[in-house]
């Protein structure tokens, strides 16, 4: 089954206008394998600047703009929130939804995340749906139960048929920003569980969904992770703020 590989940069609350400029021109010089998409997700105030720089520099195709979050509401009295229409206006194509920091620090529930995925899809944007277990949950052998409880509300909300337009990022919470990456074997086993969970609803669709791994991915470990059968790229935090390192990570991705 042919699947796109995706390398997504999650800048979190980091970055600057000068890093946007540096990243756009840096990314314009990389050679991407066929079937690889790169997505850069800076903070909201920098989205327009990325789009503008991309246009001015004639940024190569297959490099896209994404947001790190969005409101589940279309518009209205939601002070401080950002809508999908706004993201469309600044030429964003992807949105990270349900990142573990949103779930833990801002108490986003799996039901709310499912609503967000629906809103994102109905605006013609692609959600990067994040799921993952905490260290305590892995130790208690609860990983599969937790992942199922994060996936099922989304399946219920949008229907499995709409997963053709969804990207899933598996990020074990204990590996995010800690330097503790899941071993390639452990990551592959969990990705396989996720694909099989989706396959229980629809095998054909499950084969098409790009499954990204996230959590302390860097230039030294990306190749081995991306070589796993069910790992279709990565969601990169810290290492995506260093242009040269991020370029190496992007260049090592291969579409299947
Ligand atoms: P990290 O973050 O690469 O810094 O571990 C990944 C993420 O949170 O998406």
């Amino acid at each position: 089954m042919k699947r796109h590989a995706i390398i997504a940069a999650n800048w979190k609350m980091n970055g600057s206008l000068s890093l946007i400029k540096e990243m756009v021109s840096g990314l314009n010089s990389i050679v991407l394998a066929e079937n690889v998409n790169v997505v850069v997700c800076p903070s909201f105030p920098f989205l327009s600047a990325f789009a503008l720089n991309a246009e001015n520099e004639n940024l190569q195709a297959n490099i896209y703009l994404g947001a790190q979050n969005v409101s589940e509401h279309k518009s209205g009295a939601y002070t401080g929130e950002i809508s999908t229409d706004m993201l469309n206006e600044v030429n964003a194509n992807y949105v990270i939804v349900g990142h573990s920091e949103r779930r833990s620090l801002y108490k986003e529930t799996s039901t709310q995340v499912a609503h967000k995925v629906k809103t994102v899809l109905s605006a013609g944007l692609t959600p990067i749906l994040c799921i993952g277990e905490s260290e305590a949950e892995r130790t208690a052998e609860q990983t599969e139960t937790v992942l199922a409880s994060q996936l099922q509300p989304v399946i219920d909300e949008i229907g499995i048929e709409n997963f053709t337009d969804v990207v899933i990022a598996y990020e074990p919470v204990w590996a995010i920003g800690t330097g503790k990456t899941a071993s390639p074997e452990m990551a592959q086993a969990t990705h396989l569980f996720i694909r099989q969970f989706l396959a229980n609803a629809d095998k054909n669709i499950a084969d098409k969904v790009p499954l990204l791994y996230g959590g302390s991915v860097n230039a030294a470990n990306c190749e081995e992770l991306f070589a796993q059968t069910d790992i279709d790229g990565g969601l990169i935090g810290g290492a995506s703020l260093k242009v040269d390192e991020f370029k190496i990570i992007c260049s090592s991705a291969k579409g299947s």
Side-chain angles (χ1 to χ4, degrees):
M1 167 47 58
K2 252 190 163 351
R3 277 192 299 270
H4 258 87
I6 296 168
I7 305 297
N10 175 13
W11 281 12
K12 311 193 181 188
M13 201 173 72
N14 299 296
S16 59
L17 286 175
S18 64
L19 185 59
I20 291 277
K21 213 169 162 37
E22 212 189 309
M23 185 60 80
V24 169
S25 56
L27 291 179
N28 224 2
S29 64
I30 51 173
V31 179
L32 290 173
E34 209 186 317
N35 255 339
V36 175
N37 286 352
V38 172
V39 184
V40 180
C41 304
S43 303
F44 291 131
F46 300 145
L47 294 174
S48 294
F50 184 97
L52 200 66
N53 274 276
E55 198 182 322
N56 288 346
E57 297 237 5
N58 203 10
L59 184 61
Q60 58 173 314
N62 295 347
I63 300 183
Y64 296 91
L65 177 60
Q68 296 172 18
N69 184 28
V70 74
S71 170
E72 69 265 45
H73 304 290
K74 284 298 285 176
S75 65
Y78 301 102
T79 301
E81 294 290 306
I82 303 281
S83 74
T84 47
D85 285 350
M86 295 170 191
L87 297 182
N88 267 320
E89 274 211 67
V90 295
N91 292 331
N93 290 100
Y94 289 81
V95 188
I96 298 172
V97 177
H99 188 276
S100 72
E101 286 148 21
R102 301 290 324 165
R103 293 177 190 261
S104 65
L105 301 174
Y106 302 100
K107 310 295 170 222
E108 278 187 23
T109 63
S110 290
T111 310
Q112 197 180 356
V113 169
H115 289 320
K116 289 191 177 196
V117 170
K118 189 175 190 177
T119 306
V120 168
L121 284 174
S122 60
L125 297 159
T126 303
I128 301 175
L129 167 65
C130 298
I131 57 174
E133 82 288 359
S134 68
E135 184 148 44
E137 289 161 344
R138 178 156 287 267
T139 309
E141 297 183 5
Q142 289 296 306
T143 300
E144 296 187 354
T145 312
V146 169
L147 297 177
S149 75
Q150 293 170 336
L151 281 172
Q152 194 59 49
V154 184
I155 298 176
D156 294 342
E157 180 77 27
I158 66 167
I160 190 69
E161 64 281 5
N162 287 311
F163 271 73
T164 44
D165 299 316
V166 174
V167 175
I168 295 178
Y170 165 62
E171 299 200 303
V173 178
W174 48 270
I176 295 177
T178 57
K180 280 201 244 172
T181 326
S183 67
E185 297 72 27
M186 186 197 273
Q188 164 58 25
T190 312
H191 279 230
L192 184 60
F193 166 77
I194 295 166
R195 202 173 302 284
Q196 281 168 345
F197 187 84
L198 298 174
N200 288 338
D202 189 313
K203 163 109 182 57
N204 280 337
I205 304 261
D207 280 343
K208 291 184 185 134
V209 179
L211 301 183
L212 318 185
Y213 170 78
S216 298
V217 177
N218 58 38
N221 61 24
C222 60
E223 198 132 358
E224 225 189 328
L225 285 162
F226 299 162
Q228 305 301 311
T229 318
D230 288 287
I231 300 185
D232 308 306
L235 181 55
I236 323 293
S240 74
L241 293 161
K242 300 170 203 147
V243 177
D244 289 340
E245 180 159 17
F246 188 58
K247 283 167 68 176
I248 295 173
I249 297 171
C250 293
S251 306
S252 71
K254 286 166 199 65
S256 59

